[in-house]
Amino acid sequence: MKPILYYFFQVAVASGILYSYYYLALRNKKFHQYNRFYILSAVIISILIPFLNIPVYFTESETRSSVVLQTLQHITLSTPENEIPVMGAQPVASAFSFDWNIVWYVIYTLVALLFLLRILFSLKKIKTTIQDNPVEELNGIHFVNTTEPGTPYSFFRWLFWNKKIELRSEKGEQIFRHEVFHIQEKHSLDILFLELVTIFFWVNPFFHLMKKELKAIHEFLADRFAAHETKKWEYAELLLMQALNTQQPLVNPFFHNQIKRRIAMITNPQKTSYKYLRKLLVLPVAAIVVSLFAFKYKSGNQPVLALSIVPVTVVIDAGHGGNDPGVQSPDQKYSEAQLTLQIAKTIQQLSKDYNVNVVMTRENENFPGNAATKYEGLRKRVEISEKIKPAAFISIHINGDAGGSSANSGFEAYIAGRKEDPDSRKLASLILQNVSSIYPTNNKPMQRHEPGIYVLDDNNCPSVILECGYITNASDLDFMVNHENQEKIARSILTAVINYKKQLPGEDINTRDTIPRQAIELKQIKENSFPGQDSLARPLVVIDGVVAGNLQVSELDVKIPADEIESINILKGNTAIARYGDKGKYGVIEIMTKNRKPSPIKELKLEEVKPSNDDNIVFEKMEIEPAFRGGETEWKKYLAVNFKGDVPVTHNAPAGTYTVYIQFIVHKDGSISDIRPLTNHGFGMEEEAIRVISKGPKWLPGMQNGKAVNAYKKQPITFKVGEVNEGKSGASGKTLPEIVMVAYMSPETKNQQPSPANIPNLPVTTGGSEEWRKFFERNLDPNTPVREGWTTGTYQVLIRFTENEDGTISEVSALNYQNSKTAEQCINLIRHIPKMLQDEKNAGNKKAQFIQPVIFFIEKDPNFPSV
């Protein structure tokens, strides 16, 4: 409500200033065409200029010593960068405050509808007049001959003529010329535009005055065209003798109600004094309007971010989600799940400015990991934290009073109650300390002992729940739904994370409290990107498109002021050579300065460089890296079906875990090329990884500045070979290639009775791992876990069995899911195999144990999304 009222206030003040200049300097002057376009421009500028928001910073001392700056801050409702105005205690919303807002909206809408109905009635009246009278075509003008009161008048290309006026008379010809001019100059379009403006801004009196003046200007222009220089008095007499009026607000009537002004304008022989000066006065008036409404005046220097040289990873959890909306606003317009997701996404968007890597537990309205229930969603949150091992876990929530009371207000933070965690307490205190500068806050972290809070008590890292105000308090709600305030909350949290990491023992993530990001980039380039460069093999430095021939990497952070740099880009290898030729063979550092001039290093000799076509550039670093279509889940599925994980086993690789890295180029269209290994483990692993990547589908290309680019991708693939240990069970054995089964949840699969397994009692045909996999896929029912109630997700069932000396199988058991029908089905299938496949027999025909992983992917059937 407040932002809307403030916007209407700004529009009213801006239009008032512009109208005052017109009234004092331009009104009743003879440059009518200038006045016409000035009025139209003044209306448009008044509506649009409040949307501009250009920040201008002043120090606190400058603001205190200048009455002008203080006045500008009040007019623009600007505040210091890190706070909002708080007058004493935070006001508590009345129980009826929202009802008054509703009353205001209803009144405003009803009056706007009355203005709209007035226009619609006029249009209907014009249409009826056209239908009830004959229409003739005169040089593209629709001539309607009628006896309608108020005629003659015009509307767009329709000219409504009064039958009582003789068209061929001198009087008739003057009136006809007058109305034709209205039609040719499209005056009806001006009137319709201002009528629509006054519907939405009916509370603004200056727009109504401007509309009235514009109609008068139309008449002045048409009168000047219709009246011959020698017959001005006769034309004025015509106006005076025929002074009639019309009730049509949309038309240009000849006998307008401002007869006196029209006659004065026709007969006044005096020229306008100071004609050009009056027009030039629009410049200082425009400067005043821009100064008042286009800029946002702020106390304090332009903020410099607290950054981390070493990336910091945090998990940001948007509370609730799925079928759990959390608390809701009294009008049910906002929910906790909706607002926490907005704040979490704002944190994620701003995190790059702080060199913080944000991992989201959820990025849409669903539970984390598409969990089916609230409690499963809580477990997924903790699982994500355990897997990532972040520096901190911060869960965003919103409070609410029972019964919709608005008594409580402000931010609060919770830490674990069932354990003492000083790190979590320190992090929570820093967050509350930062947030207190922008909104009232309870600065003491709170704990809940019984019942506890699962995501805090069971987490393995410093964890905090931040309650971002009370949704049942009108002031809190107004604050938290505002996007600028959400950004302030996000920055407070990110700054607290950096300060928390700096205070930990042994942490040195930043050498200063505030350091420009460009300085950090220069430091990283100097220390990490091109280490040990000598004078003959050093990277090319290009500043604003020109080569700095004598600049060395070691001089970057000394010669170039960090605050003058806008962006830094590093090119290596073929990418650098493709763009800069042989000069780029040792790499290129591209630096763009804010003023696009080579002034930061004037003493250096510069030479022009013309970069080659961008289609040849291959990025090593970009805003969004290339990715497999469908994300990590689809990549795992693709590997499960196409990847031969037993390749190192067949090549007699020693037991262990091997991670192969494959580098390739993902082109703008998603195709890949230049596939090559970065590791050399051998045993056929690199060859298999290249094979499975090369035969895959197109990838999602990398993105830079919102555009697809050619980019390098380094893809890891892990092979596991040899003995495994299954923890408490003590189970061990040679792990066989995974068997993958995919099931879809639908009413049919959930209710279908399992059919008896058609398991053969004959030896399986030899054929190695591929035949072994096909045997399982033919005889396992993938929908068994769905029927016994397993939800969507990925499940790995481990079956251990023994191969005897003669190849027969015995001692078949499940290492997990022991009591499930799914595991029982896998056990029965393996028991029915009389002998191991020849290619799978243990070397030396000795008794050996095997572990068979069977992976079940359970997905929602796209035909039954609600199941």
PDB file of all heavy atoms in Angstrom, residues 2 22 24 46 147 181 193 222 286 296 328 337 346 387 472 485 551 557 563 585 602 612 618 656 669 677 726 743 854:
ATOM      1  N   LYS A   2       1.860   1.299   0.920  1.00  0.00           N
ATOM      2  CA  LYS A   2       2.703   2.484   1.024  1.00  0.00           C
ATOM      3  C   LYS A   2       3.466   2.777  -0.268  1.00  0.00           C
ATOM      4  O   LYS A   2       3.528   3.931  -0.702  1.00  0.00           O
ATOM      5  CB  LYS A   2       3.659   2.328   2.204  1.00  0.00           C
ATOM      6  CG  LYS A   2       2.953   2.357   3.555  1.00  0.00           C
ATOM      7  CD  LYS A   2       3.935   2.172   4.689  1.00  0.00           C
ATOM      8  CE  LYS A   2       3.228   2.168   6.037  1.00  0.00           C
ATOM      9  NZ  LYS A   2       4.150   1.931   7.154  1.00  0.00           N
ATOM     10  N   TYR A  22       4.248  25.312 -17.439  1.00  0.00           N
ATOM     11  CA  TYR A  22       3.373  25.578 -18.583  1.00  0.00           C
ATOM     12  C   TYR A  22       2.461  26.770 -18.295  1.00  0.00           C
ATOM     13  O   TYR A  22       2.299  27.675 -19.140  1.00  0.00           O
ATOM     14  CB  TYR A  22       2.531  24.342 -18.907  1.00  0.00           C
ATOM     15  CG  TYR A  22       1.376  24.628 -19.830  1.00  0.00           C
ATOM     16  CD1 TYR A  22       1.557  24.710 -21.206  1.00  0.00           C
ATOM     17  CD2 TYR A  22       0.099  24.865 -19.317  1.00  0.00           C
ATOM     18  CE1 TYR A  22       0.499  25.012 -22.057  1.00  0.00           C
ATOM     19  CE2 TYR A  22      -0.967  25.162 -20.158  1.00  0.00           C
ATOM     20  CZ  TYR A  22      -0.768  25.236 -21.528  1.00  0.00           C
ATOM     21  OH  TYR A  22      -1.817  25.544 -22.363  1.00  0.00           O
ATOM     22  N   LEU A  24       2.761  29.285 -16.215  1.00  0.00           N
ATOM     23  CA  LEU A  24       3.428  30.571 -16.051  1.00  0.00           C
ATOM     24  C   LEU A  24       4.127  31.052 -17.311  1.00  0.00           C
ATOM     25  O   LEU A  24       4.192  32.255 -17.567  1.00  0.00           O
ATOM     26  CB  LEU A  24       4.443  30.494 -14.898  1.00  0.00           C
ATOM     27  CG  LEU A  24       3.848  30.225 -13.504  1.00  0.00           C
ATOM     28  CD1 LEU A  24       4.960  30.016 -12.502  1.00  0.00           C
ATOM     29  CD2 LEU A  24       2.936  31.381 -13.076  1.00  0.00           C
ATOM     30  N   SER A  46       5.966  12.416 -16.165  1.00  0.00           N
ATOM     31  CA  SER A  46       5.474  12.345 -14.789  1.00  0.00           C
ATOM     32  C   SER A  46       5.164  10.909 -14.377  1.00  0.00           C
ATOM     33  O   SER A  46       5.397  10.515 -13.230  1.00  0.00           O
ATOM     34  CB  SER A  46       4.217  13.211 -14.633  1.00  0.00           C
ATOM     35  OG  SER A  46       4.490  14.550 -14.950  1.00  0.00           O
ATOM     36  N   THR A 147     -28.396  15.819 -37.199  1.00  0.00           N
ATOM     37  CA  THR A 147     -28.927  16.945 -36.418  1.00  0.00           C
ATOM     38  C   THR A 147     -28.594  16.786 -34.947  1.00  0.00           C
ATOM     39  O   THR A 147     -29.207  17.421 -34.096  1.00  0.00           O
ATOM     40  CB  THR A 147     -30.459  17.005 -36.600  1.00  0.00           C
ATOM     41  OG1 THR A 147     -31.029  15.760 -36.187  1.00  0.00           O
ATOM     42  CG2 THR A 147     -30.826  17.312 -38.048  1.00  0.00           C
ATOM     43  N   PHE A 181      -8.801  19.855 -40.040  1.00  0.00           N
ATOM     44  CA  PHE A 181      -7.488  19.999 -39.399  1.00  0.00           C
ATOM     45  C   PHE A 181      -7.371  19.069 -38.174  1.00  0.00           C
ATOM     46  O   PHE A 181      -6.327  18.431 -37.959  1.00  0.00           O
ATOM     47  CB  PHE A 181      -7.272  21.449 -38.989  1.00  0.00           C
ATOM     48  CG  PHE A 181      -5.904  21.706 -38.399  1.00  0.00           C
ATOM     49  CD1 PHE A 181      -4.811  21.919 -39.228  1.00  0.00           C
ATOM     50  CD2 PHE A 181      -5.709  21.708 -37.032  1.00  0.00           C
ATOM     51  CE1 PHE A 181      -3.548  22.148 -38.700  1.00  0.00           C
ATOM     52  CE2 PHE A 181      -4.453  21.939 -36.492  1.00  0.00           C
ATOM     53  CZ  PHE A 181      -3.368  22.158 -37.319  1.00  0.00           C
ATOM     54  N   PHE A 193      -5.759   9.335 -25.263  1.00  0.00           N
ATOM     55  CA  PHE A 193      -4.639   9.004 -24.374  1.00  0.00           C
ATOM     56  C   PHE A 193      -4.825   9.640 -22.994  1.00  0.00           C
ATOM     57  O   PHE A 193      -4.665   8.983 -21.959  1.00  0.00           O
ATOM     58  CB  PHE A 193      -3.332   9.475 -25.017  1.00  0.00           C
ATOM     59  CG  PHE A 193      -2.159   9.462 -24.087  1.00  0.00           C
ATOM     60  CD1 PHE A 193      -1.626   8.260 -23.626  1.00  0.00           C
ATOM     61  CD2 PHE A 193      -1.585  10.654 -23.649  1.00  0.00           C
ATOM     62  CE1 PHE A 193      -0.536   8.241 -22.762  1.00  0.00           C
ATOM     63  CE2 PHE A 193      -0.498  10.649 -22.792  1.00  0.00           C
ATOM     64  CZ  PHE A 193       0.025   9.440 -22.337  1.00  0.00           C
ATOM     65  N   ALA A 222      -6.547  24.563 -34.707  1.00  0.00           N
ATOM     66  CA  ALA A 222      -7.545  24.447 -35.776  1.00  0.00           C
ATOM     67  C   ALA A 222      -8.097  25.820 -36.173  1.00  0.00           C
ATOM     68  O   ALA A 222      -8.362  26.082 -37.360  1.00  0.00           O
ATOM     69  CB  ALA A 222      -8.675  23.524 -35.328  1.00  0.00           C
ATOM     70  N   ALA A 286      13.191  20.713 -16.196  1.00  0.00           N
ATOM     71  CA  ALA A 286      13.475  19.283 -16.338  1.00  0.00           C
ATOM     72  C   ALA A 286      14.566  18.847 -15.371  1.00  0.00           C
ATOM     73  O   ALA A 286      14.501  17.756 -14.788  1.00  0.00           O
ATOM     74  CB  ALA A 286      13.889  18.979 -17.780  1.00  0.00           C
ATOM     75  N   LYS A 296      18.273   8.674  -6.234  1.00  0.00           N
ATOM     76  CA  LYS A 296      18.004   8.243  -4.869  1.00  0.00           C
ATOM     77  C   LYS A 296      19.207   8.632  -4.025  1.00  0.00           C
ATOM     78  O   LYS A 296      20.306   8.096  -4.204  1.00  0.00           O
ATOM     79  CB  LYS A 296      17.771   6.734  -4.814  1.00  0.00           C
ATOM     80  CG  LYS A 296      17.219   6.253  -3.484  1.00  0.00           C
ATOM     81  CD  LYS A 296      16.804   4.802  -3.573  1.00  0.00           C
ATOM     82  CE  LYS A 296      16.140   4.348  -2.296  1.00  0.00           C
ATOM     83  NZ  LYS A 296      15.717   2.932  -2.371  1.00  0.00           N
ATOM     84  N   GLN A 328       0.695 -18.264   7.225  1.00  0.00           N
ATOM     85  CA  GLN A 328       0.198 -17.451   6.123  1.00  0.00           C
ATOM     86  C   GLN A 328      -0.242 -16.091   6.623  1.00  0.00           C
ATOM     87  O   GLN A 328      -0.591 -15.915   7.805  1.00  0.00           O
ATOM     88  CB  GLN A 328      -0.965 -18.165   5.415  1.00  0.00           C
ATOM     89  CG  GLN A 328      -0.544 -19.449   4.692  1.00  0.00           C
ATOM     90  CD  GLN A 328      -1.697 -20.097   3.956  1.00  0.00           C
ATOM     91  OE1 GLN A 328      -2.676 -20.500   4.564  1.00  0.00           O
ATOM     92  NE2 GLN A 328      -1.571 -20.204   2.653  1.00  0.00           N
ATOM     93  N   ALA A 337       6.264 -20.481   2.930  1.00  0.00           N
ATOM     94  CA  ALA A 337       7.046 -21.214   1.923  1.00  0.00           C
ATOM     95  C   ALA A 337       7.373 -20.334   0.724  1.00  0.00           C
ATOM     96  O   ALA A 337       8.469 -20.400   0.161  1.00  0.00           O
ATOM     97  CB  ALA A 337       6.278 -22.457   1.478  1.00  0.00           C
ATOM     98  N   THR A 346      17.287 -14.814  -3.499  1.00  0.00           N
ATOM     99  CA  THR A 346      18.021 -13.551  -3.493  1.00  0.00           C
ATOM    100  C   THR A 346      19.422 -13.754  -2.930  1.00  0.00           C
ATOM    101  O   THR A 346      20.405 -13.205  -3.455  1.00  0.00           O
ATOM    102  CB  THR A 346      17.265 -12.501  -2.665  1.00  0.00           C
ATOM    103  OG1 THR A 346      15.941 -12.354  -3.192  1.00  0.00           O
ATOM    104  CG2 THR A 346      17.971 -11.152  -2.720  1.00  0.00           C
ATOM    105  N   LYS A 387      26.146 -34.284   2.985  1.00  0.00           N
ATOM    106  CA  LYS A 387      26.868 -34.595   1.751  1.00  0.00           C
ATOM    107  C   LYS A 387      27.792 -33.449   1.346  1.00  0.00           C
ATOM    108  O   LYS A 387      28.936 -33.669   0.929  1.00  0.00           O
ATOM    109  CB  LYS A 387      25.857 -34.869   0.625  1.00  0.00           C
ATOM    110  CG  LYS A 387      26.507 -35.188  -0.713  1.00  0.00           C
ATOM    111  CD  LYS A 387      25.437 -35.444  -1.777  1.00  0.00           C
ATOM    112  CE  LYS A 387      26.084 -35.728  -3.139  1.00  0.00           C
ATOM    113  NZ  LYS A 387      25.056 -35.946  -4.193  1.00  0.00           N
ATOM    114  N   THR A 472       2.150 -12.149  10.536  1.00  0.00           N
ATOM    115  CA  THR A 472       0.878 -11.648  11.056  1.00  0.00           C
ATOM    116  C   THR A 472       0.959 -10.193  11.482  1.00  0.00           C
ATOM    117  O   THR A 472      -0.047  -9.603  11.880  1.00  0.00           O
ATOM    118  CB  THR A 472       0.442 -12.511  12.256  1.00  0.00           C
ATOM    119  OG1 THR A 472       1.551 -12.649  13.169  1.00  0.00           O
ATOM    120  CG2 THR A 472       0.014 -13.895  11.791  1.00  0.00           C
ATOM    121  N   ASN A 485      14.186  -4.840   0.342  1.00  0.00           N
ATOM    122  CA  ASN A 485      14.439  -5.301   1.705  1.00  0.00           C
ATOM    123  C   ASN A 485      14.922  -6.746   1.728  1.00  0.00           C
ATOM    124  O   ASN A 485      15.755  -7.125   2.559  1.00  0.00           O
ATOM    125  CB  ASN A 485      13.180  -5.145   2.551  1.00  0.00           C
ATOM    126  CG  ASN A 485      12.801  -3.690   2.753  1.00  0.00           C
ATOM    127  OD1 ASN A 485      13.667  -2.819   2.726  1.00  0.00           O
ATOM    128  ND2 ASN A 485      11.529  -3.415   2.943  1.00  0.00           N
ATOM    129  N   LEU A 551      53.906  -4.683 -19.546  1.00  0.00           N
ATOM    130  CA  LEU A 551      53.331  -4.969 -18.237  1.00  0.00           C
ATOM    131  C   LEU A 551      53.511  -6.436 -17.875  1.00  0.00           C
ATOM    132  O   LEU A 551      53.182  -7.325 -18.660  1.00  0.00           O
ATOM    133  CB  LEU A 551      51.836  -4.620 -18.227  1.00  0.00           C
ATOM    134  CG  LEU A 551      51.132  -4.743 -16.881  1.00  0.00           C
ATOM    135  CD1 LEU A 551      51.750  -3.782 -15.874  1.00  0.00           C
ATOM    136  CD2 LEU A 551      49.649  -4.459 -17.030  1.00  0.00           C
ATOM    137  N   ASP A 557      48.574  -5.797  -9.820  1.00  0.00           N
ATOM    138  CA  ASP A 557      47.868  -5.149  -8.719  1.00  0.00           C
ATOM    139  C   ASP A 557      48.554  -3.874  -8.248  1.00  0.00           C
ATOM    140  O   ASP A 557      48.071  -3.194  -7.347  1.00  0.00           O
ATOM    141  CB  ASP A 557      47.702  -6.107  -7.541  1.00  0.00           C
ATOM    142  CG  ASP A 557      49.029  -6.685  -7.077  1.00  0.00           C
ATOM    143  OD1 ASP A 557      50.034  -6.467  -7.774  1.00  0.00           O
ATOM    144  OD2 ASP A 557      49.060  -7.352  -6.028  1.00  0.00           O
ATOM    145  N   ASP A 563      39.894  -0.098  -8.314  1.00  0.00           N
ATOM    146  CA  ASP A 563      38.596   0.562  -8.453  1.00  0.00           C
ATOM    147  C   ASP A 563      38.348   1.100  -9.860  1.00  0.00           C
ATOM    148  O   ASP A 563      37.270   1.602 -10.156  1.00  0.00           O
ATOM    149  CB  ASP A 563      38.464   1.689  -7.427  1.00  0.00           C
ATOM    150  CG  ASP A 563      39.583   2.721  -7.547  1.00  0.00           C
ATOM    151  OD1 ASP A 563      40.469   2.527  -8.404  1.00  0.00           O
ATOM    152  OD2 ASP A 563      39.559   3.707  -6.791  1.00  0.00           O
ATOM    153  N   LYS A 585      50.104 -17.326 -27.096  1.00  0.00           N
ATOM    154  CA  LYS A 585      50.483 -18.728 -26.828  1.00  0.00           C
ATOM    155  C   LYS A 585      50.795 -18.979 -25.359  1.00  0.00           C
ATOM    156  O   LYS A 585      50.744 -20.116 -24.894  1.00  0.00           O
ATOM    157  CB  LYS A 585      51.652 -19.138 -27.710  1.00  0.00           C
ATOM    158  CG  LYS A 585      52.941 -18.342 -27.478  1.00  0.00           C
ATOM    159  CD  LYS A 585      54.014 -18.788 -28.458  1.00  0.00           C
ATOM    160  CE  LYS A 585      55.303 -17.965 -28.289  1.00  0.00           C
ATOM    161  NZ  LYS A 585      56.339 -18.387 -29.265  1.00  0.00           N
ATOM    162  N   LYS A 602      49.407   4.851 -18.260  1.00  0.00           N
ATOM    163  CA  LYS A 602      49.784   5.769 -19.339  1.00  0.00           C
ATOM    164  C   LYS A 602      51.237   5.595 -19.777  1.00  0.00           C
ATOM    165  O   LYS A 602      51.581   5.889 -20.907  1.00  0.00           O
ATOM    166  CB  LYS A 602      49.548   7.205 -18.877  1.00  0.00           C
ATOM    167  CG  LYS A 602      48.074   7.540 -18.665  1.00  0.00           C
ATOM    168  CD  LYS A 602      47.910   8.962 -18.193  1.00  0.00           C
ATOM    169  CE  LYS A 602      46.446   9.287 -17.977  1.00  0.00           C
ATOM    170  NZ  LYS A 602      46.257  10.659 -17.456  1.00  0.00           N
ATOM    171  N   SER A 612      39.702 -11.838 -33.110  1.00  0.00           N
ATOM    172  CA  SER A 612      39.073 -12.602 -34.188  1.00  0.00           C
ATOM    173  C   SER A 612      37.620 -12.878 -33.846  1.00  0.00           C
ATOM    174  O   SER A 612      37.105 -12.490 -32.811  1.00  0.00           O
ATOM    175  CB  SER A 612      39.819 -13.934 -34.374  1.00  0.00           C
ATOM    176  OG  SER A 612      39.765 -14.696 -33.186  1.00  0.00           O
ATOM    177  N   VAL A 618      36.855 -20.362 -27.092  1.00  0.00           N
ATOM    178  CA  VAL A 618      36.386 -21.425 -26.206  1.00  0.00           C
ATOM    179  C   VAL A 618      36.669 -20.981 -24.775  1.00  0.00           C
ATOM    180  O   VAL A 618      37.821 -20.783 -24.388  1.00  0.00           O
ATOM    181  CB  VAL A 618      37.087 -22.772 -26.495  1.00  0.00           C
ATOM    182  CG1 VAL A 618      36.532 -23.856 -25.585  1.00  0.00           C
ATOM    183  CG2 VAL A 618      36.913 -23.160 -27.951  1.00  0.00           C
ATOM    184  N   GLY A 656      40.618 -50.859  -5.881  1.00  0.00           N
ATOM    185  CA  GLY A 656      40.708 -49.448  -5.541  1.00  0.00           C
ATOM    186  C   GLY A 656      39.644 -48.633  -6.248  1.00  0.00           C
ATOM    187  O   GLY A 656      38.815 -49.156  -6.995  1.00  0.00           O
ATOM    188  N   ASP A 669      25.721 -25.155 -29.873  1.00  0.00           N
ATOM    189  CA  ASP A 669      24.537 -25.950 -30.196  1.00  0.00           C
ATOM    190  C   ASP A 669      24.432 -27.213 -29.348  1.00  0.00           C
ATOM    191  O   ASP A 669      23.531 -28.024 -29.563  1.00  0.00           O
ATOM    192  CB  ASP A 669      24.536 -26.329 -31.678  1.00  0.00           C
ATOM    193  CG  ASP A 669      25.749 -27.183 -32.064  1.00  0.00           C
ATOM    194  OD1 ASP A 669      26.638 -27.388 -31.201  1.00  0.00           O
ATOM    195  OD2 ASP A 669      25.803 -27.633 -33.229  1.00  0.00           O
ATOM    196  N   PRO A 677      41.443 -37.442 -22.540  1.00  0.00           N
ATOM    197  CA  PRO A 677      41.572 -37.700 -21.106  1.00  0.00           C
ATOM    198  C   PRO A 677      42.607 -36.770 -20.470  1.00  0.00           C
ATOM    199  O   PRO A 677      43.594 -36.386 -21.099  1.00  0.00           O
ATOM    200  CB  PRO A 677      42.045 -39.154 -21.064  1.00  0.00           C
ATOM    201  CG  PRO A 677      42.802 -39.331 -22.345  1.00  0.00           C
ATOM    202  CD  PRO A 677      42.110 -38.467 -23.362  1.00  0.00           C
ATOM    203  N   GLU A 726      30.998 -53.589   3.759  1.00  0.00           N
ATOM    204  CA  GLU A 726      29.657 -53.040   3.945  1.00  0.00           C
ATOM    205  C   GLU A 726      29.404 -52.663   5.406  1.00  0.00           C
ATOM    206  O   GLU A 726      28.371 -52.943   5.970  1.00  0.00           O
ATOM    207  CB  GLU A 726      28.607 -54.047   3.448  1.00  0.00           C
ATOM    208  CG  GLU A 726      28.648 -54.276   1.971  1.00  0.00           C
ATOM    209  CD  GLU A 726      28.389 -53.009   1.202  1.00  0.00           C
ATOM    210  OE1 GLU A 726      27.584 -52.192   1.653  1.00  0.00           O
ATOM    211  OE2 GLU A 726      29.014 -52.843   0.151  1.00  0.00           O
ATOM    212  N   ALA A 743      11.257 -47.829 -12.622  1.00  0.00           N
ATOM    213  CA  ALA A 743       9.829 -48.032 -12.393  1.00  0.00           C
ATOM    214  C   ALA A 743       9.123 -46.688 -12.388  1.00  0.00           C
ATOM    215  O   ALA A 743       9.713 -45.668 -12.034  1.00  0.00           O
ATOM    216  CB  ALA A 743       9.592 -48.751 -11.069  1.00  0.00           C
ATOM    217  N   VAL A 854      21.861 -53.827  -7.227  1.00  0.00           N
ATOM    218  CA  VAL A 854      20.704 -53.664  -8.109  1.00  0.00           C
ATOM    219  C   VAL A 854      20.083 -52.308  -7.776  1.00  0.00           C
ATOM    220  O   VAL A 854      19.623 -52.100  -6.651  1.00  0.00           O
ATOM    221  CB  VAL A 854      19.672 -54.788  -7.926  1.00  0.00           C
ATOM    222  CG1 VAL A 854      18.522 -54.606  -8.931  1.00  0.00           C
ATOM    223  CG2 VAL A 854      20.322 -56.154  -8.102  1.00  0.00           C
TER     224      VAL A 854
END
